[in-house]
PDB file of all heavy atoms in Angstrom:
ATOM      1  N   TYR M1384       7.184  -5.568   8.943  1.00 95.00           N
ATOM      2  CA  TYR M1384       6.341  -5.589   7.733  1.00 95.00           C
ATOM      3  C   TYR M1384       6.477  -6.932   7.008  1.00 95.00           C
ATOM      4  O   TYR M1384       5.483  -7.518   6.586  1.00 95.00           O
ATOM      5  CB  TYR M1384       6.761  -4.448   6.776  1.00 95.00           C
ATOM      6  CG  TYR M1384       6.396  -3.051   7.278  1.00 95.00           C
ATOM      7  CD1 TYR M1384       7.290  -2.017   7.187  1.00 95.00           C
ATOM      8  CD2 TYR M1384       5.147  -2.831   7.848  1.00 95.00           C
ATOM      9  CE1 TYR M1384       6.967  -0.753   7.655  1.00 95.00           C
ATOM     10  CE2 TYR M1384       4.814  -1.566   8.326  1.00 95.00           C
ATOM     11  CZ  TYR M1384       5.727  -0.543   8.228  1.00 95.00           C
ATOM     12  OH  TYR M1384       5.391   0.704   8.666  1.00 95.00           O
ATOM     13  N   LYS M1388       3.720  -9.886   6.189  1.00 98.00           N
ATOM     14  CA  LYS M1388       3.423 -10.379   4.829  1.00 98.00           C
ATOM     15  C   LYS M1388       3.439 -11.909   4.807  1.00 98.00           C
ATOM     16  O   LYS M1388       2.550 -12.552   4.292  1.00 98.00           O
ATOM     17  CB  LYS M1388       4.407  -9.785   3.821  1.00 98.00           C
ATOM     18  CG  LYS M1388       4.196  -8.275   3.585  1.00 98.00           C
ATOM     19  CD  LYS M1388       5.347  -7.621   2.817  1.00 98.00           C
ATOM     20  CE  LYS M1388       5.137  -6.094   2.791  1.00 98.00           C
ATOM     21  NZ  LYS M1388       6.214  -5.369   2.095  1.00 98.00           N
ATOM     22  N   ILE M1430       9.112  -9.434  -4.177  1.00 98.00           N
ATOM     23  CA  ILE M1430       9.234  -8.086  -3.609  1.00 98.00           C
ATOM     24  C   ILE M1430      10.569  -7.946  -2.894  1.00 98.00           C
ATOM     25  O   ILE M1430      11.096  -8.905  -2.322  1.00 98.00           O
ATOM     26  CB  ILE M1430       8.097  -7.741  -2.621  1.00 98.00           C
ATOM     27  CG1 ILE M1430       8.102  -8.648  -1.408  1.00 98.00           C
ATOM     28  CG2 ILE M1430       6.734  -7.809  -3.326  1.00 98.00           C
ATOM     29  CD1 ILE M1430       7.131  -8.237  -0.352  1.00 98.00           C
ATOM     30  N   VAL M1431      11.131  -6.764  -2.959  1.00 98.00           N
ATOM     31  CA  VAL M1431      12.347  -6.445  -2.191  1.00 98.00           C
ATOM     32  C   VAL M1431      11.930  -5.372  -1.185  1.00 98.00           C
ATOM     33  O   VAL M1431      11.496  -4.281  -1.602  1.00 98.00           O
ATOM     34  CB  VAL M1431      13.491  -5.928  -3.089  1.00 98.00           C
ATOM     35  CG1 VAL M1431      14.695  -5.583  -2.273  1.00 98.00           C
ATOM     36  CG2 VAL M1431      13.823  -6.957  -4.183  1.00 98.00           C
ATOM     37  N   GLN M1432      12.030  -5.705   0.079  1.00 98.00           N
ATOM     38  CA  GLN M1432      11.543  -4.732   1.092  1.00 98.00           C
ATOM     39  C   GLN M1432      12.390  -3.477   1.096  1.00 98.00           C
ATOM     40  O   GLN M1432      13.624  -3.548   1.128  1.00 98.00           O
ATOM     41  CB  GLN M1432      11.573  -5.419   2.474  1.00 98.00           C
ATOM     42  CG  GLN M1432      10.944  -4.570   3.580  1.00 98.00           C
ATOM     43  CD  GLN M1432       9.446  -4.323   3.405  1.00 98.00           C
ATOM     44  OE1 GLN M1432       8.739  -5.095   2.812  1.00 98.00           O
ATOM     45  NE2 GLN M1432       8.991  -3.178   3.891  1.00 98.00           N
ATOM     46  N   MET M1433      11.760  -2.332   1.056  1.00 97.00           N
ATOM     47  CA  MET M1433      12.465  -1.034   1.123  1.00 97.00           C
ATOM     48  C   MET M1433      12.365  -0.471   2.539  1.00 97.00           C
ATOM     49  O   MET M1433      11.412  -0.812   3.233  1.00 97.00           O
ATOM     50  CB  MET M1433      11.792  -0.066   0.138  1.00 97.00           C
ATOM     51  CG  MET M1433      11.774  -0.543  -1.301  1.00 97.00           C
ATOM     52  SD  MET M1433      13.421  -0.607  -1.949  1.00 97.00           S
ATOM     53  CE  MET M1433      13.210  -1.663  -3.402  1.00 97.00           C
ATOM     54  N   PRO M1434      13.247   0.365   2.972  1.00 96.00           N
ATOM     55  CA  PRO M1434      14.406   0.898   2.251  1.00 96.00           C
ATOM     56  C   PRO M1434      15.582  -0.050   2.214  1.00 96.00           C
ATOM     57  O   PRO M1434      15.686  -0.932   3.076  1.00 96.00           O
ATOM     58  CB  PRO M1434      14.757   2.152   3.052  1.00 96.00           C
ATOM     59  CG  PRO M1434      14.299   1.834   4.455  1.00 96.00           C
ATOM     60  CD  PRO M1434      13.126   0.942   4.339  1.00 96.00           C
ATOM     61  N   ASP M1455       4.547  -5.553  -6.025  1.00 98.00           N
ATOM     62  CA  ASP M1455       4.539  -4.248  -5.335  1.00 98.00           C
ATOM     63  C   ASP M1455       4.082  -3.118  -6.285  1.00 98.00           C
ATOM     64  O   ASP M1455       3.750  -2.028  -5.832  1.00 98.00           O
ATOM     65  CB  ASP M1455       5.964  -3.885  -4.852  1.00 98.00           C
ATOM     66  CG  ASP M1455       6.189  -4.199  -3.391  1.00 98.00           C
ATOM     67  OD1 ASP M1455       5.217  -4.228  -2.625  1.00 98.00           O
ATOM     68  OD2 ASP M1455       7.345  -4.452  -3.030  1.00 98.00           O
ATOM     69  N   PHE M1457       5.989  -1.423  -8.337  1.00 98.00           N
ATOM     70  CA  PHE M1457       6.968  -0.357  -8.332  1.00 98.00           C
ATOM     71  C   PHE M1457       7.732  -0.206  -9.635  1.00 98.00           C
ATOM     72  O   PHE M1457       8.411   0.779  -9.875  1.00 98.00           O
ATOM     73  CB  PHE M1457       8.011  -0.594  -7.210  1.00 98.00           C
ATOM     74  CG  PHE M1457       7.486  -0.480  -5.815  1.00 98.00           C
ATOM     75  CD1 PHE M1457       8.248  -0.893  -4.720  1.00 98.00           C
ATOM     76  CD2 PHE M1457       6.219   0.064  -5.552  1.00 98.00           C
ATOM     77  CE1 PHE M1457       7.744  -0.766  -3.410  1.00 98.00           C
ATOM     78  CE2 PHE M1457       5.716   0.186  -4.276  1.00 98.00           C
ATOM     79  CZ  PHE M1457       6.524  -0.235  -3.203  1.00 98.00           C
ATOM     80  N   ALA M1475       0.362  -1.384  -3.353  1.00 98.00           N
ATOM     81  CA  ALA M1475      -0.549  -1.927  -2.327  1.00 98.00           C
ATOM     82  C   ALA M1475      -1.329  -0.885  -1.563  1.00 98.00           C
ATOM     83  O   ALA M1475      -2.511  -1.018  -1.317  1.00 98.00           O
ATOM     84  CB  ALA M1475       0.218  -2.839  -1.398  1.00 98.00           C
ATOM     85  N   ILE M1504       5.630   5.612  -3.750  1.00 96.00           N
ATOM     86  CA  ILE M1504       4.809   4.428  -3.405  1.00 96.00           C
ATOM     87  C   ILE M1504       3.377   4.779  -2.865  1.00 96.00           C
ATOM     88  O   ILE M1504       2.545   3.934  -2.886  1.00 96.00           O
ATOM     89  CB  ILE M1504       5.542   3.462  -2.422  1.00 96.00           C
ATOM     90  CG1 ILE M1504       5.806   4.086  -1.066  1.00 96.00           C
ATOM     91  CG2 ILE M1504       6.849   2.993  -3.003  1.00 96.00           C
ATOM     92  CD1 ILE M1504       6.374   3.071  -0.066  1.00 96.00           C
ATOM     93  N   THR M1611      -3.324  -2.509   3.073  1.00 98.00           N
ATOM     94  CA  THR M1611      -2.087  -2.545   2.275  1.00 98.00           C
ATOM     95  C   THR M1611      -1.597  -3.989   2.112  1.00 98.00           C
ATOM     96  O   THR M1611      -1.312  -4.461   1.028  1.00 98.00           O
ATOM     97  CB  THR M1611      -0.993  -1.687   2.990  1.00 98.00           C
ATOM     98  OG1 THR M1611      -1.440  -0.334   2.981  1.00 98.00           O
ATOM     99  CG2 THR M1611       0.316  -1.773   2.260  1.00 98.00           C
TER     100      THR M1611
HETATM  101  N1  GUN P1870       8.581  -0.278   2.277  1.00 70.73           N
HETATM  102  C1  GUN P1870       7.543   0.492   2.662  1.00 70.73           C
HETATM  103  N2  GUN P1870       6.415   0.103   1.973  1.00 70.73           N
HETATM  104  C2  GUN P1870       6.787  -0.893   1.158  1.00 70.73           C
HETATM  105  C3  GUN P1870       6.077  -1.688   0.252  1.00 70.73           C
HETATM  106  O1  GUN P1870       4.899  -1.544  -0.028  1.00 70.73           O
HETATM  107  N3  GUN P1870       6.837  -2.656  -0.391  1.00 70.73           N
HETATM  108  C4  GUN P1870       8.145  -2.823  -0.171  1.00 70.73           C
HETATM  109  N4  GUN P1870       8.767  -3.785  -0.859  1.00 70.73           N
HETATM  110  N5  GUN P1870       8.825  -2.106   0.685  1.00 70.73           N
HETATM  111  C5  GUN P1870       8.126  -1.115   1.348  1.00 70.73           C
END
Side-chain angles (χ1 to χ4, degrees):
Y1384 291 136
K1388 290 169 187 179
I1430 64 173
V1431 179
Q1432 186 65 29
M1433 303 292 163
D1455 262 333
F1457 292 169
I1504 66 174
T1611 295

